[in-house]
Amino acid sequence: MALDNTIDQPGERPAAPPKTWSAARITGFVLCGLWAVLGLLLVWSLIRGYDAELLERYAPRMLGGLWLTAKMVVLSIMMGSALALPIALARISTSKIVSKLAFGYVYFFRGTPLLAQLFLTYYGAGQFRPFMEDIGLWWFFKDAFNCVMLAFTLNTAAYQGEILKGAIQSVPKGQREAALTLGLSGPVTFFKIILPQALITALRPLGNEVIFMIKGSAIASVVTILDLMGTTKLAYSRSYDFNVYVWAAILYLSMVETLRYFWDRMERYLTRHLRMPNEN
Amino acid sequence: MWESLGLLSFGAEGWGDELAHGLKITVLLAISTLPFGLALGLLVALAKNSNERSLVLAANIYTTIFRGLPELLTLFIVYYGGQIALQKLIGLFSDVYVEVNGFVAGMIALGLVFSAFSSETFLSAFRGIPKGQPEAGKALGLSSFQRFRLVVFPQLVRLALPGLSNLWLVLLKETSLVSIIALDDLIRKTHLAVGNTKEPLLFYSVACGIYLIIALISSKGLNAIELRVNRGQERT
């Protein structure tokens, strides 16, 4: 008896159904078209509004502002992360007083607008000028940049602390227990076993926090800081050329997207041991 | 120290009534932004969830822009750009001078940002609904709108609520930005009070306290809503 092998052979894949002009497709094309038109309009407006004199006067300032923005973000994120670990540890501390205090700190900084915190530091410090001068701290608070850095650092420390706290708690209990069984000391367990695993969980939310800081740093312009936003406002108030806002938008977007891209790359690299070989 | 607390009283002497008025604007702005941002966010999420590639692309461009721009810049672009665009549009017909309302500009800018973030929340909620649910609806002969309204949407609300609660708290704080375009919200009123009384520490602390209280009330309310939408769920 001849076996009919053909029955097990996979047949030809049926041809994809012809694409019809469904409502979704039409809407999609119209919306993409709208974005394209909007993009072209912007490019046209930038080209038509090209003004060599304006560019010469404000482009270096805006680039300087961009640099200042980057500096503020990097500094506040780094100083904030130094504070974040103690805050996270205090949050999960078994001591009621310590954990309540840390909770209060985090609740305050996450529950009030960054703008209000900035004003509180900037104008609030000014109220105590004589006192500050007496204890020799006035040199720090008389510079708006320092006030901004203080407010930003305390703010991001609260957010980062909360991220770290969640990440540390997400490490399975068995890890700590295994370390205990092996006779490892507390600090070794924490720094060599718990923290590395927690940091991997925290990586993505921390990236988001950096992006929030880039965006949030724009409000420093309100207290006379000439960051990217500040220089843009200045250029607009002198030239009334709306294109400067478009330029600022492009610069901010490229900053955020570049960071997102490299952060993704970094995350993929750091979690390479967690993926299956056939996953890419 | 204590005599300065009189500055917070209501009436001609104190700034209490001014602050209350600012608080009203802040809450009103947040509440009126919410439905606009939610509806737009849901539409964007529907677009991202569709099979049509062009729709996904258009929606992704939207979220990339409004999630990546600083809120303050979005606000300025809507406020000043809207002014210019509206003026040009009206200039085609007549020469009336128009001024963009700060409240409306704030509503639009915050709504755009809110919708970009909420679309992500809605999208992950969409992905959390088992495929069998709308399929079963289809098998029962429900139309696609009925499937969305009766089967998908109630589950969507439950899954998206925690994320949306967070976004609401963020929105409340972001309303403070409208003070920069001279809208009389809580922060601006506080600022004016400080300018007059030279008591920045007192007034900004009070403003922060008020924000904390609204956040506290909001989380209480949101918890109640969360309990209600989860009432059909098993308790763990």
Side-chain angles (χ1 to χ4, degrees):
Chain A
M1 197 178 83
L3 282 173
D4 185 6
N5 284 330
T6 56
I7 200 135
D8 288 329
Q9 297 286 324
E12 286 272 307
R13 190 178 176 186
K19 283 204 170 168
T20 51
W21 283 96
S22 61
R25 193 145 183 249
I26 295 171
T27 325
F29 272 66
V30 168
L31 290 177
C32 282
L34 271 180
W35 278 127
V37 168
L38 206 63
L40 286 176
L41 267 179
L42 277 186
V43 172
W44 182 69
S45 139
L46 288 182
I47 292 172
R48 201 194 53 155
Y50 176 79
D51 182 344
E53 197 196 341
L54 192 77
L55 201 70
E56 196 184 334
R57 190 177 300 167
Y58 293 112
R61 286 195 191 184
M62 278 177 72
L63 287 178
L66 181 70
W67 171 241
L68 190 59
T69 293
K71 200 166 102 180
M72 284 196 303
V73 172
V74 170
L75 278 177
S76 60
I77 289 287
M78 276 171 38
M79 294 192 294
S81 65
L83 284 176
L85 192 58
I87 291 169
L89 289 177
R91 281 280 275 130
I92 49 183
S93 158
T94 42
S95 154
K96 271 256 165 71
I97 301 172
V98 173
S99 74
K100 281 260 164 68
L101 276 176
F103 176 76
Y105 174 86
V106 170
Y107 198 82
F108 176 80
F109 280 99
R110 300 207 320 163
T112 55
L114 182 54
L115 190 62
Q117 294 161 19
L118 185 59
F119 283 159
L120 192 60
T121 350
Y122 183 68
Y123 294 107
Q127 191 177 354
F128 295 99
R129 181 169 177 178
F131 173 68
M132 297 267 190
E133 276 172 340
D134 281 349
I135 58 170
L137 268 178
W138 181 244
W139 63 269
F140 180 84
F141 285 99
K142 78 176 178 193
D143 188 355
F145 182 77
N146 290 338
C147 291
V148 169
M149 289 317 298
L150 183 66
F152 282 7
T153 303
L154 293 178
N155 180 276
T156 189
Y159 280 93
Q160 289 184 41
E162 202 61 10
I163 292 169
L164 268 185
K165 174 213 158 220
I168 289 173
Q169 283 179 335
S170 78
V171 175
K173 227 180 168 181
Q175 299 280 335
R176 190 183 295 272
E177 287 165 1
L180 204 64
T181 318
L182 288 171
L184 296 180
S185 69
V188 171
T189 310
F190 183 73
F191 284 106
K192 297 262 170 179
I193 294 169
I194 308 291
L195 196 59
Q197 300 185 69
L199 282 178
I200 281 188
T201 319
L203 209 52
R204 185 155 283 264
L206 281 179
N208 285 337
E209 174 58 20
V210 181
I211 289 173
F212 275 116
M213 217 54 228
I214 295 178
K215 294 170 25 166
S217 70
I219 65 162
S221 62
V222 181
V223 291
T224 71
I225 297 290
L226 287 176
D227 67 333
L228 179 52
M229 191 72 205
T231 45
T232 309
K233 266 161 64 177
L234 188 78
Y236 182 69
S237 65
R238 300 241 176 106
S239 67
Y240 286 104
D241 184 350
F242 192 68
N243 281 335
V244 291
Y245 277 123
V246 179
W247 279 117
I250 293 172
L251 286 174
Y252 270 114
L253 268 186
S254 11
M255 236 191 309
V256 167
E257 288 306 307
T258 318
L259 183 88
R260 211 189 289 280
Y261 175 77
F262 282 109
W263 205 274
D264 275 355
R265 289 279 297 266
M266 183 172 84
E267 196 182 356
R268 290 172 62 82
Y269 179 74
L270 290 176
T271 57
R272 65 197 185 284
H273 60 289
L274 296 174
R275 278 193 301 275
M276 303 295 276
N278 52 356
E279 270 181 274
N280 43 15
Chain B
M1 176 72 209
W2 294 110
E3 62 270 23
S4 56
L5 282 181
L7 294 170
L8 292 172
S9 66
F10 287 72
E13 298 287 301
W15 287 84
D17 43 344
E18 273 85 357
L19 292 188
H21 183 77
L23 174 64
K24 199 180 92 189
I25 299 277
T26 293
V27 174
L28 213 62
L29 180 64
I31 289 180
S32 39
T33 305
L34 188 66
F36 165 56
L38 279 178
L40 202 57
L42 187 58
L43 283 180
V44 176
L46 278 171
K48 278 189 197 166
N49 202 35
S50 90
N51 294 322
E52 176 55 41
R53 279 225 196 118
S54 56
L55 215 50
V56 177
L57 177 69
N60 280 339
I61 296 176
Y62 179 85
T63 29
T64 307
I65 292 179
F66 289 111
R67 273 195 335 169
L69 283 184
E71 291 78 7
L72 189 57
L73 188 57
T74 312
L75 185 63
F76 279 172
I77 288 178
V78 169
Y79 188 58
Y80 295 119
Q83 177 87 49
I84 294 169
L86 210 64
Q87 196 68 69
K88 277 194 177 160
L89 201 69
I90 288 178
L92 296 176
F93 308 108
S94 65
D95 49 358
V96 197
Y97 177 75
V98 285
E99 201 162 306
V100 172
N101 182 306
F103 190 87
V104 176
M107 218 177 101
I108 294 175
L110 294 177
L112 291 174
V113 176
F114 186 90
S115 65
F117 280 96
S118 68
S119 75
E120 290 291 302
T121 310
F122 279 127
L123 185 65
S124 57
F126 267 126
R127 303 213 164 126
I129 298 173
K131 250 190 168 172
Q133 296 277 340
E135 280 170 6
K138 201 169 186 178
L140 286 171
L142 298 180
S143 74
S144 69
F145 180 67
Q146 281 175 320
R147 283 204 299 275
F148 179 73
R149 193 173 65 90
L150 299 170
V151 180
V152 175
F153 189 69
Q155 305 190 55
L156 193 71
V157 172
R158 179 169 58 80
L159 291 172
L161 202 64
L164 294 179
S165 308
N166 262 334
L167 288 177
W168 163 253
L169 296 175
V170 173
L171 175 67
L172 269 178
K173 291 185 282 168
E174 271 171 5
T175 53
S176 63
L177 295 178
V178 295
S179 62
I180 299 171
I181 56 167
L183 189 63
D184 280 336
D185 80 323
L186 179 56
I187 289 284
R188 189 167 149 80
K189 286 288 188 192
T190 312
H191 208 71
L192 294 177
V194 169
N196 267 291
T197 60
K198 310 289 175 227
E199 292 278 353
L201 198 69
L202 170 74
F203 277 102
Y204 285 120
S205 305
V206 168
C208 285
I210 294 176
Y211 275 106
L212 284 179
I213 291 170
I214 331 175
L216 205 68
I217 296 172
S218 303
S219 6
K220 286 261 185 282
L222 289 166
N223 277 341
I225 299 176
E226 210 155 314
L227 270 182
R228 178 163 167 81
V229 295
N230 278 316
R231 69 196 183 285
Q233 293 306 111
E234 244 179 272
R235 300 215 171 85
T236 45

